[in-house]
Amino acid sequence: MNLEGLELRPWTSLIDAKELVPPKNAAEAQERALANLKYYKGNYAVFAAVVLALTAYFSSYFLIAVAISGGVGGALFFLKDLKLGARKVNETEKAGVTAVVALLSLYLLESFSVLFYAALVIALGVGAHAALRKNTLKTKATNLASDVQSDIKKAAKSN
């Protein structure tokens, strides 16, 4: 999913209970989910960040794992000309080291289950909302305009 243009939509439209209606079939649920994931992606990103922040607040070991991973990743990101011996370390290798540190810190601090449950809450919350919220004409029009705009940008880049 493209994260370009993470626009926050009004929270009142997101949580409008009148618009949450069970779909008639799986095809309708899929159509709604795709449209709502595109339209509300900024709101869903905020929801995910809040869930992860609350998870870190209530699980000190998870917070420590995130701090270690973020610290290592941040340090490697800002070290532009990092060399290992005579060889320059590229960005992919830095990302790999960060991922290994994140996995090790999650494992050693026994925080995998905490991360799993946080991801489950995010997936269920976003997925349920995306499938249940009716597509309005405004949602469809905005998504269409966004598609046209991204197509124009791609065409301009290729020329």
Side-chain angles (χ1 to χ4, degrees), residues 14 16-24 28-34 36 44 124-135:
L14 180 82
D16 186 5
K18 295 179 295 199
E19 298 294 329
L20 299 177
V21 179
K24 293 178 180 81
E28 183 183 0
Q30 183 179 12
E31 179 188 331
R32 285 183 186 184
L34 292 174
N36 286 324
Y44 292 150
L124 289 175
V126 169
H129 180 272
L132 290 174
R133 188 170 195 301
K134 288 191 304 188
N135 290 336

Side-chain angles (χ1 to χ4, degrees), residues 12-156:
T12 53
S13 77
L14 180 82
I15 57 174
D16 186 5
K18 295 179 295 199
E19 298 294 329
L20 299 177
V21 179
K24 293 178 180 81
N25 53 41
E28 183 183 0
Q30 183 179 12
E31 179 188 331
R32 285 183 186 184
L34 292 174
N36 286 324
L37 285 170
K38 190 174 194 178
Y39 186 74
Y40 288 111
K41 67 183 167 184
N43 299 74
Y44 292 150
V46 169
F47 174 71
V50 167
V51 169
L52 290 173
L54 287 171
T55 302
Y57 178 78
F58 288 110
S59 173
S60 56
Y61 288 132
F62 179 73
L63 178 61
I64 292 168
V66 169
I68 291 170
S69 305
V72 169
L76 291 175
F77 176 77
F78 288 111
L79 294 173
K80 295 295 180 189
D81 295 324
L82 181 63
K83 291 187 178 187
L84 192 59
R87 188 175 160 284
K88 187 175 184 236
V89 178
N90 65 34
E91 296 301 315
T92 305
E93 293 166 335
K94 291 178 185 178
V97 169
T98 303
V100 168
V101 168
L103 291 171
L104 278 173
S105 62
L106 286 169
Y107 174 74
L108 293 174
L109 294 169
E110 299 176 354
S111 295
F112 270 116
S113 62
V114 173
L115 179 59
F116 173 78
Y117 289 123
L120 186 63
V121 167
I122 293 166
L124 289 175
V126 169
H129 180 272
L132 290 174
R133 188 170 195 301
K134 288 191 304 188
N135 290 336
T136 62
L137 186 58
K138 182 178 179 180
T139 304
K140 291 176 185 176
T142 303
N143 286 343
L144 178 63
S146 175
D147 288 344
V148 170
Q149 189 177 27
S150 66
D151 288 346
I152 291 170
K153 284 181 184 178
K154 285 178 188 175

